[in-house]
DNA sequence: GAGTGGTCTAGACCACACT
DNA sequence: GTGTGGTCTAGACCACTCC
């Protein structure tokens, strides 16, 4: 077996085993191929929406069999980073697809037939030094700049979602309320297309809360209306956090859907 | 290629193509193997916690290559129906494992270090004719019997979750508050061990609500406390619904965690 | 027809667990 | 050592898309 990958370390095979305490002494070839492909995705060499080289081409480049490339691609596709299309090729996933729209927005009308277009209203977009708690969660240094965005989502003409969003300033230079408003399509589509920041996964913490004065006015609800509080931390490649979002969802005619598998 | 599976239909191969409008004209061998294995799981021939035959054994039985069996098992493992253990074998997944405990219970302490044992208190367990809305959701006929369970979960000695649960009566003959209380381990473990009903997946709808009088007393909270309302429909093989659950979660010191992938 | 992903096979060898 | 799952290969053929 020839494990000389032209661009990276070779297999840490059974020869050099039990090095150090509990160190993984073995890494399958396909994992190394996957890591190489991940690097190209992260570097932007393969761009969202575009096709990557064919499996045969990649196998030849990496000097491995097609089956090994397939297994690497299988995992990347399972993680929603690539999309396979039989007969056409394998493509880099993008947030600018219907398919991805509802992967992150889990709020759904109680009557699906009442679904309609969602109107986005941006109330604020400013740059400021990160408050201590925000900085900590985003793994920034105290005093680093962040972009703070406030917006309201309207379902069927009615305000239903109030989002406060914080983004690391150094990754989003030039982001403004105008660019947010002008962009057609999902916000994460703008982020990947204009700033090269791709949201890969996120963790949410959900609670029930009551609104404060400001929130009552923005959502046009009385003080006694219970709301879902959804705190989301989104991450890009290497699990680096790149967005903190605190959303308030009005759930009298909508619900947060979740599938347990 | 010999596609004569001893126990089921053979491959609908390229010969008999474009039959009917949009009918799937092709089913890969490994999907057929998967279906056969699924049947054995559903029939209880392979029981939770036990090992299934080895890949080589299955390949020989089904008259296919080991790789084809592997692909079938891969999918079943990805769906959490099987668990692979290198060097040991492949096992039928069970809810009586630490690994599965938190797959369905998503409520987590805000400070993970405050995690402690959960005390379960069963307030009620009775058999009655299903109310119309419950029957509809569980796909029962009007007037069919259901088992109705009410319970409270205590975290660190404090009531935090109030669950109302409905189960199809014909599947849970003999279920009582005593058996629920006596059983050590998760409720879904009892269901699979004692009633042969395995929860495979579930859909949840989450809202923010305020408690009614009864709920206030049971959770020992004032009327103005917002709560998470979690409606869960659990399904077994073939997506058959087998449990409806309406939970109220107190989220002042806990939150519902969710990972978006 | 050419190119791409998808399936299936047969065989070799490795890592891991048990005995 | 034996048996199990895990990796890797090479090759054949199939299904799908586009020209």
């Amino acid at each position: 077996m020839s494990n000389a990958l032209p661009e990276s370390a070779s297999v840490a095979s059974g020869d050099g085993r039990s090095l150090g305490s509990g160190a993984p002494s073995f890494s399958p070839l396909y994992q190394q191929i996957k890591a190489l492909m991940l690097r190209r995705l992260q570097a932007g060499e393969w761009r969202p929406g575009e096709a990557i080289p064919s499996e045969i081409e990649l196998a030849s480049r990496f000097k491995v069999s097609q089956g090994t490339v397939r297994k690497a691609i299988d995992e990347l596709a399972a993680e929603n980073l690539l999309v396979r299309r039989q007969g056409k090729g394998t493509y880099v996933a993008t947030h600018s697809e219907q398919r991805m729209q509802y992967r992150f927005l889990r709020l759904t009308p109680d009557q699906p037939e009442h679904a309609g277009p969602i109107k986005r209203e941006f109330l604020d977009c400013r740059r400021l030094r990160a408050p201590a708690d925000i900085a900590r969660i985003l793994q920034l240094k105290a005093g680093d700049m962040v972009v703070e965005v406030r917006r309201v989502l309207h379902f069927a003409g009615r305000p239903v979602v109030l989002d406060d969003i914080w983004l690391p300033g150094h990754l989003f230079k030039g982001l403004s309320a105008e660019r947010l408003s002008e962009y057609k399509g999902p916000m994460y589509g703008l982020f990947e297309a204009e700033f090269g920041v791709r949201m890969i996964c996120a963790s949410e913490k959900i609670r029930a809360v009551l609104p404060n004065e400001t929130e009552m006015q923005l959502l046009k609800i009385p003080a006694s209306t219970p709301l879902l509080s959804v705190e989301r931390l989104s991450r890009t490649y290497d699990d680096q956090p790149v967005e903190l979002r605190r959303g308030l969802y009005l759930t009298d005619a909508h619900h947060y859907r979740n599938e347990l598998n």
Side-chain angles (χ1 to χ4, degrees), chain A:
Chain A
M1 180 167 44
S2 144
N3 278 319
L5 296 183
E7 338 193 11
S8 90
S10 56
V11 176
S13 65
D15 302 327
R17 71 183 53 172
S18 64
L19 19 103
S21 58
S25 58
F26 171 70
S27 170
L29 243 190
Y30 76 88
Q31 288 286 3
Q32 302 177 46
I33 303 297
K34 182 184 170 189
L36 291 175
M37 297 178 67
L38 218 32
R39 202 176 306 169
R40 278 171 163 69
L41 289 168
Q42 182 168 12
E45 295 178 45
W46 296 338
R47 306 167 72 88
E50 294 179 357
I52 69 170
S54 77
E55 296 179 352
I56 293 173
E57 165 70 17
L58 288 171
S60 146
R61 276 198 213 177
F62 291 136
K63 300 275 206 321
V64 298
S65 77
Q66 186 184 357
T68 300
V69 171
R70 270 192 78 75
K71 186 140 187 180
I73 293 179
D74 280 344
E75 292 209 351
L76 292 169
E79 294 169 27
N80 294 301
L81 297 179
L82 297 177
V83 178
R84 319 189 78 139
R85 295 189 192 136
Q86 181 174 117
K88 300 186 68 174
T90 302
Y91 294 78
V92 181
T94 169
H95 285 284
S96 305
E97 293 181 65
Q98 273 309 109
R99 195 185 146 278
M100 305 285 278
Q101 302 295 6
Y102 296 97
R103 195 154 70 89
F104 287 87
L105 178 58
R106 309 293 278 259
L107 201 67
T108 305
D110 290 339
Q111 276 85 29
E113 59 275 18
H114 291 181
I118 299 171
K119 200 187 114 203
R120 300 168 305 168
E121 176 187 17
F122 290 97
L123 303 179
D124 198 13
C125 178
R126 67 180 65 180
R127 307 179 74 80
L128 47 85
R129 299 201 177 279
D133 58 333
I134 306 288
R136 182 180 48 78
I137 295 174
L138 285 175
Q139 296 178 14
L140 300 174
K141 288 193 293 292
D144 280 357
M145 299 300 290
V146 291
V147 182
E148 182 182 88
V149 178
R150 166 165 282 186
R151 71 164 186 181
V152 173
L153 298 184
H154 300 257
F155 291 60
R158 187 157 158 269
V160 173
V161 172
L162 171 61
D163 276 324
D164 282 313
I165 302 169
W166 293 270
L167 304 159
H170 68 281
L171 292 177
F172 291 87
K173 294 191 200 302
L175 181 61
S176 64
E178 290 69 39
R179 292 185 73 176
L180 285 167
S181 300
E182 289 163 6
Y183 189 80
K184 306 304 174 199
M187 185 157 48
Y188 286 175
L190 170 68
F191 290 172
E192 83 180 17
E194 306 284 322
F195 301 94
V197 177
R198 225 191 107 66
M199 307 299 182
I200 300 296
C201 60
S203 307
E204 294 195 330
K205 297 181 180 182
I206 306 173
R207 291 181 179 78
V209 300
L210 293 175
N212 67 22
E213 192 66 38
T214 306
E215 293 155 359
M216 288 166 51
Q217 292 170 4
L218 291 172
L219 290 174
K220 298 175 180 158
I221 50 172
S224 63
T225 312
L227 300 171
L228 276 193
S229 159
V230 180
E231 178 178 304
R232 175 194 298 175
L233 184 63
S234 304
R235 286 176 286 264
T236 185
Y237 300 98
D238 298 332
D239 275 332
Q240 187 196 348
V242 286
E243 180 201 49
L244 175 62
R245 182 183 291 214
R246 286 183 179 151
L248 290 178
Y249 298 178
L250 179 57
T251 57
D252 57 351
H254 300 76
H255 61 269
Y256 182 107
R257 81 198 136 71
N258 198 21
E259 300 295 322
L260 310 182
N261 296 313

